[in-house]
Amino acid sequence: MATLSEMACYTLINIPSDAEPPTELQLKQDLEKGDTRTKTEALKKTIQLILNGEKMPSLLMTIIRFVMPSQDHMIKKLLLIFWEVVPKYTPDGKMLHEMILVCDAYRKDLQHPNEFIRGSTLRFLCKLKEPELLEPLMPAIRQCLEHRHSYVRRNAVLAIYTIYRNHDFLIPDGPELIAKFLEGEQDMSCKRNAFMMLIHADQERALNYLSSCIEQVTTFGDILQLVIVELIYKVCHANPSERARFIRCIYNLLNSSSPAVRYEAAGTLVTLSSAPTAIKAAASCYIELIIKESDNNVKLIVLDRLIALKEVPAHEKVLQDLVMDVLRVLSAPDLEVRKKTLSLALDLVTSRNIEEMVLVLKKEVVKTNNVEHEDTGKYRQLLVRTLHQCCIKFQDVAATIIPVLLEFLGDQNELAAQDVLVFVREAIQRFTTLRSLIISKLQEVFPSIKAMKIHRAAMWILGEYCETSEDIQNVMTMIRQSLGEIPIVDDEIKKAAGEVKEDEMQMGGNVQKLVTADGTYASQSAFSTTTSPKKEERPPMRQYLMDGDFFVGAALSTTLTKLALRYISTTPDQKKQNSLLAESMLIMATIIHLGKSGLPTKPITDDDVDRIATCLRVLAEKSDLMTEIFNNDCRESLSMMLAAKLADEKELQRMTEKRMVKVQPDDPIAFAQLINKSEMGATENMFELTLSQALGMTNKKDVDPMGASKLNKVSQLTGFSDPVYAEAYVNVNQFDIVLDVLIVNQTSDTLQNLTLELATLGDLKLVEKPTPLTMAPHDFCNIKANVKVASTENGIIFGNIVYDVSGAGSDRNCVVLNDIHIDIMDYIVPASCDDTEFRQMWAEFEWENKVAVNTNISSLSEFLQHVIKMTNMKCLTPEKALSGDCGFMAANLYAKSIFGEDVLANLSIEKPAHLSQDTPVQGHIRIRAKSQGMALSMGDKINLSQKKVIKS
C-alpha cells in the first residue's frame, strides 16, 4: 500500500498556514445542518485538512448522506476534488464499502441532463486510478461519446484514453471505438483528443486516418494541426523511410493560419530534412513569425531558433541568402531583439549582399534621427558598432559608411558619437586612401559637435592626420572659431563690463581668421540682423574652459603643437611658419592666463598647466627630438595598439570558429536504403527532450563522480546528542531551492506529529508547509521543502522540529535547528562588457561597498585569480595589461545574476617594493551594484573568502 506522500497528486491547493484548523466535530455539524454556503466552506476545509495529512474517516458517510445529493455546481466541483484526494482503501488494502455509493452517484451524474456536470465528471474520471470504481461506469462513459454537446464528447474521449492507458482490460476495443468516432466527428477539439489517443494507443490507425485526409489538413483547426505535426515527427523519427510520405504535409502546414502550427512545422521540417529548400522554407517561416508576432518573448525564442540554424555549417550558406529578410526584423521596437538581429545579420553577411545591408542600416540611422524613445540612443550605438564591424570585415564599403557615421558626431547621444570616433581613429590609420575623405568630412561636422569629449577626440584626430598646409590652416580657423576673440580674459572682462557693442557681441562667436598669401590673418564675419539674445552664447571651446574643463585646453595645446610642427615641415615660407607658431603659442598662453585669472568656475589644474607649458616650450625650441616624438612616435604607438587589438580579435575569432564539415575522398557513401533504423534515427526525440527539460529531468554529466561537491552542500542542523538528528542537502536550481532534510529518530520512543517548521530571512519564500510524520524508534526519513528565490541576496533559512512522544502526557517537544545560509554564488555567472559600458554602469550604480584586502596571499596575480574563482566574476582587464611585476595591479571585474542584476568590482592592490617577498597583498576592492543587497552580499562573500586555505 502506497503511503500518502507516494500517492499521485493532481490537484494542488494552497493551505493558509496562519488559520486555526477546525475540529472534526465542528466540520460534521456544518456538513450536516449548514446551508449551501456553510457546506461549501466546510468541504473546502475538509479537503485542505486531508491534503495536510489528516485522515478524517468519520466524515465520509456524512458527506455521502448530506452533501452529495446537493445540486449546487460549486459543491459538485468541490466533491470531485474531495473524491480525488480522500483515501479510498482500508489499512489492510481493501476498497472502502462507502465507495460503492459514490460510484452509483457518479453513474447518475454521467447521465445528468446538464452538460457541465457530465463533462466535469468525465474529467474527474481521468484522475481515478481504481478499476473497481471505473468498471460499473463504462457503459455510461461510452454513451457520452454520442452526446449532442462537444464539451461532453471531448471529455469522454479523454476519459476513455486514460482508462485504456491505465486499465486496457476495461475497454479492450478503445482504439477501434475512437477511430470510428473520429470518422464521424466534426468538432475540432473532439477530433484533436481522439487523434491524440490514437497516436499513443494505436499509431497505425492514426496514420491511416491521416493518410485518408492528408489533403484537407490545411483546413483543420490549429489544435488538430499541432497534434498532426507531433505524429509526423514521431513517425519519421522512428521510421525515416516514411519521410517522403509526410514531408509535403509539413511544407503545407508552414502556410497555416496559426503561428504556433507554423513554428512547430518549421522546427519539425528542420529535424526531418537538411535539404537547402527545406532549410530555406523553415528559416523564411521563422522570419515571418518574428516580424508578425507582437510578443517580444516569442520574437527572442524564434530568433534563437534562427541562430541555432546558423550554427550548423551546412545550413549557414542557405541562410546567407536571407540576410535582407533577417534585417526586416529591425522594425521591432525592442532593443534586445534588434541586438540579436544585427549580430545574426553580421555573421551571415557576405560580399554579395554587404552593400544592400549597408543601405538598410543607413535608412535605420536616418529613422532614429526624429524618434525620441528611451532606447533610441542605445539603438544608434548598436547601428554604429554594426557599421563599424561591416567596414572592418569588408573594406570596400568603408568609403560609403564613413560619411554616414561622421554625421553622428553632432548627435546628442555622446555614446554613439564616441563609438564613431573610435571607429574613425581605426579607419584613418588602416585605410590610408580614405584619409583625405575623413579629414574633409570631419572638418565639415566639427562645428556641429556638442559634447566636450567628442570635441577633444575629434581635435586629436585632426591634429594627428592633417598633412597638407591647407588642411592645417582650416583646422586653425575652426579652433579660432570655437574659442572666439583672443585674448580670452580681456574679451570676457570687456563683455562683463558691457564695453563690447551689440553687433560685435553677436558675431564674436563667428569670427573667422583666414591666412592670406603673405601669412597674415584676415578677419571675416557674417553680419547678422537678428536681435541679440539676453544671454550671449559663448563659442563651444571657450564655454568648456569657462566651466573649468581645462583638460580640453591641454588636448588643444597638443593638437596645436602637432599642427605647427607639421606646418613647418610642409611650408618653406619662414614668415608663414612664424605667423602660425605665434598664433598657436598665443592660444596656449591665453588658456593658461584664463586658468589663473579666476574667471572660470574652477581654476586650471597643475597637470594641465605643465602640459600646456611643455607644448609652449616645444614650439619655442623646435628640437628634432620633440618633432620626432610629436609627429611620428605618437602615431606609432596608436598603430601598435590597433595591431594588438586586431591580433586579439583574430585569436578570439579563431577560438570561436566553427569546425567546417569536411568530407574526405575515401569516406564511405551512405545509402539511405541500406542504413539501419537505429543508425538513421539516432538523434534524440525532440518532444521527449523538451518534456524532460521542462520537468528538470535532463541527464547532466556528473563532473564530480565521488559527489564531493554535493557533500559540501550538506548542512548539519542538529547535534548528534539531540533526540532528533537532522541534516539538509541544499540543492539550488536557478529560482528554486530544494531542501532535502534527513531526519533520524535517535530515541526508543515513537514520535508522533513530527513537524519540520521553517522560516526564511531575505528575499526567500517558503512554498509549502512540510507534512507532519509519525516516526518509529530509531527510524529515519527524508522531508523535502521548496523555497522560491526572488533576488540575489544572502538568505537565511531557520526553524525547528516539533513532535509529541507516544504515551507521554507532557507538552510538545522542540529541537531548534541550526541556520542554513544560502550562498549568493549559486546565482552569479561571469559576464563580459566593453570599457565604455563598464564606465557607464560604474557611474550609474548608486550602491558601493569598499572592502579592505586582508589576505595571506603574497602574489598580486594569484590574489586576482583567487578573487575571480571565489566570486564567479570575469576579469575585463586584458591579460597584457596585467602581465609583468610592478608591485601594483588594477583590474575590473564583472558578473551578472540569473535575475539580470549587474555587479561590478574594481580591484586595486599593491605590494610595496621595500617589503619582503612573503608580505601579503594590500589594497581595496570596490564593489558597485544597483541594489544594496547585491553590493553587501558580494562584499560579505569577498570578506569571508579572501584568505587562502592552506592544506595541511
Side-chain angles (χ1 to χ4, degrees), residues 824-825 828 838 841-842 845-853 867 871 873 891-895 902-908 924-946:
I824 184 180
M825 287 306 107
I828 301 289
F838 185 90
M841 285 191 283
W842 189 265
F845 292 173
E846 58 260 34
W847 291 101
E848 181 175 298
N849 189 1
K850 192 173 182 182
V851 178
V853 173
V867 170
T871 58
M873 297 182 93
N892 290 335
L893 310 176
Y894 176 53
D902 301 290
V903 60
L904 314 172
N906 173 259
L907 190 83
S908 295
H924 288 92
I925 301 168
R926 288 162 71 200
I927 300 147
R928 283 204 183 180
K930 223 170 199 172
S931 63
Q932 184 186 18
M934 184 74 149
L936 290 173
S937 301
M938 188 56 85
D940 292 344
K941 178 67 185 173
I942 290 173
N943 253 332
L944 289 169
S945 56
Q946 280 193 58

Side-chain angles (χ1 to χ4, degrees), residues 1 33 55 97 109 168 195 247 300 323 339 387 406 413-414 463 569 625 752 833 876 895 926:
M1 183 64 208
K33 298 173 183 169
K55 295 282 189 285
H97 296 301
D109 277 351
D168 56 355
F195 191 70
I247 207 153
L300 289 169
V323 170
K339 194 174 184 178
L387 284 165
L406 284 168
N413 180 14
E414 194 178 297
S569 61
L625 174 65
Q752 293 180 331
C833 64
L876 300 179
R926 288 162 71 200

Side-chain angles (χ1 to χ4, degrees), residues 403-641:
V404 180
L405 288 182
L406 284 168
E407 295 292 336
F408 274 91
L409 292 182
D411 200 56
Q412 293 286 357
N413 180 14
E414 194 178 297
L415 293 170
Q418 242 174 329
D419 278 348
V420 170
L421 279 173
V422 167
F423 162 59
V424 168
R425 184 184 68 182
E426 191 173 344
I428 205 167
Q429 176 66 23
R430 278 194 190 178
F431 314 133
T432 48
T433 51
L434 297 174
R435 277 184 191 171
S436 57
L437 169 73
I438 295 172
I439 292 293
S440 63
K441 191 69 186 168
L442 197 53
Q443 287 174 7
E444 274 178 45
V445 297
F446 191 83
S448 65
I449 296 174
K450 299 177 182 70
M452 184 194 71
K453 286 182 182 176
I454 311 306
H455 254 129
R456 204 171 66 213
M459 274 194 311
W460 184 91
I461 290 171
L462 289 169
E464 189 63 52
Y465 292 99
C466 281
E467 306 283 350
T468 64
S469 54
E470 186 187 348
D471 283 339
I472 293 169
Q473 286 173 6
N474 289 341
V475 174
M476 286 298 290
T477 305
M478 284 192 312
I479 289 169
R480 283 298 300 268
Q481 271 183 288
S482 62
L483 280 171
E485 279 294 334
I486 289 179
I488 298 171
V489 175
D490 296 356
D491 191 45
E492 284 294 322
I493 291 169
K494 277 183 189 176
K495 284 176 185 172
E499 291 176 20
V500 182
K501 290 177 188 174
E502 197 175 284
D503 59 344
E504 282 181 21
M505 282 177 73
Q506 179 62 30
M507 62 191 191
N510 296 324
V511 173
Q512 291 191 357
K513 292 284 182 180
L514 297 174
V515 183
T516 57
D518 61 353
T520 59
Y521 281 94
S523 292
Q524 188 183 56
S525 64
F527 185 74
S528 173
T529 55
T530 55
T531 55
S532 174
K534 288 179 184 176
K535 188 186 175 188
E536 188 231 348
E537 281 190 16
R538 295 190 180 96
M541 207 70 77
R542 182 184 291 197
Q543 186 62 52
Y544 303 147
L545 296 172
M546 292 301 290
D547 291 340
D549 289 317
F550 280 95
F551 184 49
V552 76
L556 174 61
S557 303
T558 309
T559 300
L560 289 171
T561 308
K562 287 178 183 176
L563 291 173
L565 292 174
R566 204 169 292 122
Y567 191 75
I568 291 169
S569 61
T570 55
T571 310
D573 190 331
Q574 191 70 36
K575 196 174 180 184
K576 286 183 182 179
Q577 288 180 12
N578 290 342
S579 176
L580 195 117
L581 273 173
E583 184 70 19
S584 303
M585 292 170 85
L586 173 62
I587 291 170
M588 292 184 214
T590 192
I591 290 170
I592 293 178
H593 185 200
L594 177 67
K596 302 281 188 184
S597 67
L599 289 174
T601 51
K602 287 184 279 186
I604 191 168
T605 62
D606 291 343
D607 287 345
D608 294 334
V609 172
D610 289 349
R611 181 72 171 170
I612 298 169
T614 305
C615 291
L616 275 167
R617 188 175 170 189
V618 168
L619 287 183
E621 292 176 357
K622 292 182 282 187
S623 67
D624 293 338
L625 174 65
M626 283 300 166
T627 306
E628 178 67 24
I629 289 169
F630 271 85
N631 279 350
N632 297 331
D633 291 359
C634 288
R635 196 174 300 182
E636 188 61 36
S637 62
L638 171 68
S639 178
M640 284 168 66
M641 188 193 86

Side-chain angles (χ1 to χ4, degrees), residues 152-168:
V152 177
R153 294 200 304 276
R154 72 165 173 263
N155 283 313
V157 173
L158 278 181
I160 288 171
Y161 171 39
T162 48
I163 292 166
Y164 180 79
R165 192 177 57 189
N166 298 327
H167 317 288
D168 56 355

